Amino acid sequence: MNGARKIERVVLGDQVYEAIKERILDQAYAPGEKLNVDGLARELQVSSTPIREALARLVAEGLVKAEPFIGFATAPLPDRRYYEDVYSFRGVIEPWAAAQAARSRPGPDVIAALRDEVAAMMAGEPSREYRSHRGFTEADDRFHRIILQAAGNQVALKSYDDLRFHLHISRLYLTREQDVGLTHQEHFRIVDALEAGDPDAAAQAMRLHLEGSYERLIK
Amino acid sequence: MNGARKIERVVLGDQVYEAIKERILDQAYAPGEKLNVDGLARELQVSSTPIREALARLVAEGLVKAEPFIGFATAPLPDRRYYEDVYSFRGVIEPWAAAQAARSRPGPDVIAALRDEVAAMMAGEPSREYRSHRGFTEADDRFHRIILQAAGNQVALKSYDDLRFHLHISRLYLTREQDVGLTHQEHFRIVDALEAGDPDAAAQAMRLHLEGSYERLIK
DNA sequence: CATTTCAAAATCATGCACGATCCAAGATGC
DNA sequence: GCATCTTGGATCGTGCATGATTTTGAAATG
């Protein structure tokens, strides 16, 4: 027929979910801060049911913790050990994904999308202001996600998505000015290897990038 | 003070969650079957609120799909492509995890636990009956999980847990009598390599086991 | 006077019943 | 036979009741 636009049926719970999620990612709440259901209901002008549904979903995503008969609270800031584990895990998955992506000979659209994200990261003004940091980390996030997507393994992609939000929170705090240049170089090498369709080079470039990221994170 | 026993706080939503989850894993519902909220509420003698909360959690775990204003339904049976992706992913994570576990020199308690699970799989009578198949797959599941745990990476462990339920469903259907012996041999080799603390042998044994599992699954 | 104890009230999470809204299917009309 | 309308049934959201938790505040003790 035609490319009919889908009538987006809006469920209240979804909107509440997005609203609360954005607040958490924006650091509007301190880590571990208690989330009052009735209070959120009043603030967002809805009943408590959609709030609870949204919070339940956030619990499943790991952004919120729930204690029976006590309530919800934002997830505590992960400890150093957790970041170790995250980067070990990424150090296994992402080089493999980069190799898979290179093997599948990514089309020019994928390469262009990756270069766009790198450009977006470079376009961010060197500033300590919050917004630009957020733009940087979001572009970096999308960069890595595009590669996972190009690898064509939906299970790996989903497992990466589960980590994204946690990383996002930490990276908001930890992006440093002097490290930006190194990050760009590493990203360029990855894109080049993907464009060349060289699996080994792509895996190696990704490995170096993640090791570099981790070094910059923990120092 | 003392080793006070924890007062198990019972939230209705948790019990409903466990009840529905067990039903799904027991194949009480066909894949894709619609889940009526009011019906479940009547069956389980509770209101619709705990039902919806439980279903929301199951949606987040991927066992249930939700469509706005239409309702909940059990997740459709994954297609062949999905299993391909799962085993590719496991083929990356689990050999690495086995190597990590071997490197950390697992204690005799871990080795004993692994041998227990292998014994549990062998103890299952050769039968087509449902219960024994279930026992087999659950022991196999625990076997792999113990190794992920011994690797000491909580991120990898969580990502494996996300796959378990889906695998559980498929394996219920697909365990074959003549394949059991091969599985045992592969498991033994893995345990031996772990006990010897040989990372390369452990990774290789795990790789062979997963390749074998996949071959047996798709034929 | 400072500190602990204990009870009562306020606060909040949880569960339930009801009304509103929306989708699906059968009936009606042309 | 096809389009439209209506009815049935289910989902979604609200308000309220209940029970658990936490805090407040006053009395009692060292």
Side-chain angles (χ1 to χ4, degrees):
Chain A
M1 305 233 283
N2 56 359
R5 62 166 172 274
K6 286 186 184 172
I7 309 274
E8 269 307 323
R9 192 68 51 224
V10 187
V11 182
L12 209 48
D14 289 350
Q15 302 179 53
V16 174
Y17 166 79
E18 295 292 341
I20 299 178
K21 185 169 172 179
E22 189 173 337
R23 287 188 183 194
I24 294 176
L25 292 181
D26 282 358
Q27 300 282 338
Y29 305 107
E33 185 175 340
K34 195 142 184 298
L35 296 174
N36 188 306
V37 173
D38 283 346
L40 285 169
R42 273 191 298 274
E43 277 186 69
L44 299 176
Q45 305 277 352
V46 295
S47 172
S48 59
T49 304
I51 304 284
R52 283 179 351 219
E53 187 202 320
L55 288 175
R57 289 170 61 181
L58 289 166
V59 167
E61 281 185 13
L63 283 176
V64 170
K65 296 292 172 191
E67 201 75 23
F69 287 92
I70 299 213
F72 300 90
T74 58
L77 206 59
D79 56 9
R80 184 191 166 126
R81 170 66 189 283
Y82 180 77
Y83 289 118
E84 251 176 59
D85 286 356
V86 168
Y87 273 86
S88 297
F89 184 74
R90 294 184 69 189
V92 176
I93 291 301
E94 296 199 47
W96 167 78
Q100 290 290 105
R103 240 184 291 274
S104 74
R105 288 271 165 191
D109 50 335
V110 173
I111 301 297
L114 288 171
R115 292 204 195 282
D116 282 351
E117 300 302 344
V118 175
M121 283 184 261
M122 295 176 73
E125 296 299 319
S127 140
R128 299 199 174 280
E129 202 206 342
Y130 161 67
R131 273 285 160 193
S132 58
H133 272 203
R134 174 170 179 171
F136 182 89
T137 59
E138 284 183 351
D140 184 53
D141 189 21
R142 286 192 299 268
F143 179 87
H144 286 268
R145 191 171 190 281
I146 289 169
I147 294 172
L148 262 293
Q149 219 166 358
N153 187 312
Q154 55 176 310
V155 175
L157 181 61
K158 183 176 185 313
S159 111
Y160 177 74
D161 280 339
D162 289 343
L163 293 177
R164 292 170 68 207
F165 306 116
H166 298 233
L167 288 174
H168 186 72
I169 292 176
S170 69
R171 283 188 290 200
L172 277 179
Y173 283 128
L174 294 163
T175 312
R176 281 196 182 76
E177 282 312 317
Q178 64 266 31
D179 297 333
V180 173
L182 288 170
T183 304
H184 291 328
Q185 285 181 24
E186 293 166 2
H187 281 156
F188 277 131
R189 290 218 180 83
I190 295 171
V191 179
D192 288 344
L194 288 174
E195 193 172 25
D198 184 338
D200 293 336
Q204 183 63 13
M206 180 63 84
R207 215 179 330 265
L208 286 175
H209 173 48
L210 289 172
E211 282 167 10
S213 287
Y214 184 62
E215 293 299 322
R216 293 190 286 273
L217 179 70
I218 62 173
K219 80 180 175 193
Chain B
M1 305 239 282
N2 56 358
R5 60 166 170 275
K6 282 187 183 171
I7 309 263
E8 268 307 322
R9 194 128 353 273
V10 186
V11 182
L12 210 49
D14 289 350
Q15 303 179 52
V16 174
Y17 166 78
E18 295 293 343
I20 299 178
K21 185 170 172 178
E22 190 173 336
R23 287 190 182 192
I24 295 177
L25 293 181
D26 282 358
Q27 300 281 339
Y29 305 107
E33 184 175 341
K34 194 141 186 298
L35 295 174
N36 189 308
V37 174
D38 283 345
L40 285 170
R42 273 190 298 276
E43 276 186 70
L44 299 176
Q45 306 278 351
V46 294
S47 169
S48 60
T49 304
I51 303 283
R52 295 202 314 240
E53 186 202 322
L55 288 174
R57 288 170 62 181
L58 289 166
V59 167
E61 280 184 13
L63 284 176
V64 169
K65 296 292 173 192
E67 201 75 23
F69 287 90
I70 302 232
F72 300 90
T74 58
L77 205 60
D79 55 9
R80 183 190 166 126
R81 172 65 190 280
Y82 180 76
Y83 290 118
E84 250 177 60
D85 285 356
V86 167
Y87 274 86
S88 296
F89 184 73
R90 293 184 69 188
V92 176
I93 291 300
E94 296 200 45
W96 168 79
Q100 290 291 104
R103 242 184 289 275
S104 73
R105 287 270 165 191
D109 51 334
V110 174
I111 301 298
L114 287 172
R115 293 205 194 281
D116 282 351
E117 300 303 345
V118 175
M121 282 184 262
M122 294 175 73
E125 297 298 321
S127 138
R128 300 201 173 279
E129 201 204 341
Y130 162 65
R131 272 285 159 192
S132 59
H133 272 203
R134 175 170 178 173
F136 183 89
T137 59
E138 283 182 351
D140 185 54
D141 189 20
R142 286 192 300 269
F143 179 88
H144 286 268
R145 192 170 190 280
I146 289 169
I147 295 173
L148 262 294
Q149 220 165 358
N153 187 314
Q154 56 175 310
V155 175
L157 180 61
K158 183 178 185 311
S159 119
Y160 177 73
D161 280 338
D162 290 342
L163 293 178
R164 291 169 68 206
F165 306 116
H166 298 232
L167 286 175
H168 186 73
I169 291 176
S170 69
R171 281 189 290 199
L172 277 180
Y173 283 127
L174 294 164
T175 311
R176 282 197 184 77
E177 281 312 318
Q178 63 267 31
D179 295 334
V180 173
L182 288 171
T183 305
H184 291 329
Q185 285 180 25
E186 294 165 1
H187 282 156
F188 278 131
R189 289 215 182 85
I190 295 171
V191 180
D192 289 344
L194 288 175
E195 192 172 25
D198 185 337
D200 292 336
Q204 183 62 13
M206 179 63 84
R207 216 179 329 267
L208 285 175
H209 173 49
L210 289 171
E211 283 167 10
S213 286
Y214 184 61
E215 293 300 323
R216 293 190 286 274
L217 179 70
I218 62 172
K219 80 182 174 189

